[in-house]
Amino acid sequence: MNIWIIDDDLVSRFATQYAVQQSSTDAHIKIFESARKVLSQIKEGSFKGSDLPDILLLDLVMPEMDGWEFLVELKKLKKEKKTLRIYILSAFARSKDRILAKEHPLVFGYFDKPLSKINADSIFK
């Protein structure tokens, strides 16, 4: 199972990776600090088929391109796996973001940072 973490904060990336590793022993984790760079690499064809994520853990608040902008651009590319499940991670518990996440067709859930083992377990069930 391919899991991507896109988050600009080093501490958050580490905490998320740790929670995922505690919940899933068969996870192949790739970590990115820029949503814009990930989109560029997808457009260039650096990632194909089996390289693409099954689960994407996406931060909302990032410089250059936020999580919502990333989702808009990803949808335009139409290159995501059919099995892709995206989960929003945010340190800012805004009700507007929770509502948008619930209504977004690519988003399967919304979790506050740091990702807990209990929340990570719910992703992998």
Side-chain angles (χ1 to χ4, degrees), residues 8 21 83 93 114:
D8 64 312
Q21 288 171 333
T83 58

Side-chain angles (χ1 to χ4, degrees), residues 68 71 75 88 95-110:
W68 296 121
L71 289 172
K75 193 166 183 170
I88 300 295
S95 60
K96 177 185 171 191
D97 287 332
R98 289 184 186 279
I99 292 167
L100 288 171
K102 200 176 227 180
E103 295 172 351
H104 198 286
L106 295 177
V107 176
F108 279 71
Y110 180 106

Side-chain angles (χ1 to χ4, degrees), residues 33-124:
E33 59 185 69
S34 167
R36 185 175 303 286
K37 287 180 184 174
V38 171
L39 277 176
S40 293
Q41 290 178 320
I42 292 171
K43 285 179 188 177
E44 293 167 1
S46 298
F47 302 113
K48 297 179 179 151
S50 63
D51 294 332
L52 292 169
D54 299 295
I55 294 175
L56 174 59
L57 303 171
L58 178 65
D59 183 23
L60 284 182
V61 181
M62 295 181 282
E64 295 181 7
M65 174 180 277
D66 70 23
W68 296 121
E69 293 167 325
F70 173 83
L71 289 172
V72 168
E73 295 303 314
L74 180 66
K75 193 166 183 170
K76 286 180 189 176
L77 290 178
K78 298 181 182 175
K79 290 189 177 183
E80 75 272 3
K81 277 186 180 177
K82 301 230 184 280
T83 58
L84 175 64
R85 295 185 335 227
I86 297 174
Y87 295 88
I88 300 295
L89 302 176
S90 184
F92 305 101
R94 294 181 7 186
S95 60
K96 177 185 171 191
D97 287 332
R98 289 184 186 279
I99 292 167
L100 288 171
K102 200 176 227 180
E103 295 172 351
H104 198 286
L106 295 177
V107 176
F108 279 71
Y110 180 106
F111 298 107
D112 294 327
K113 286 184 186 181
L115 183 67
S116 69
K117 183 179 181 315
I118 292 169
N119 287 337
D121 287 345
S122 72
I123 291 171
F124 296 105

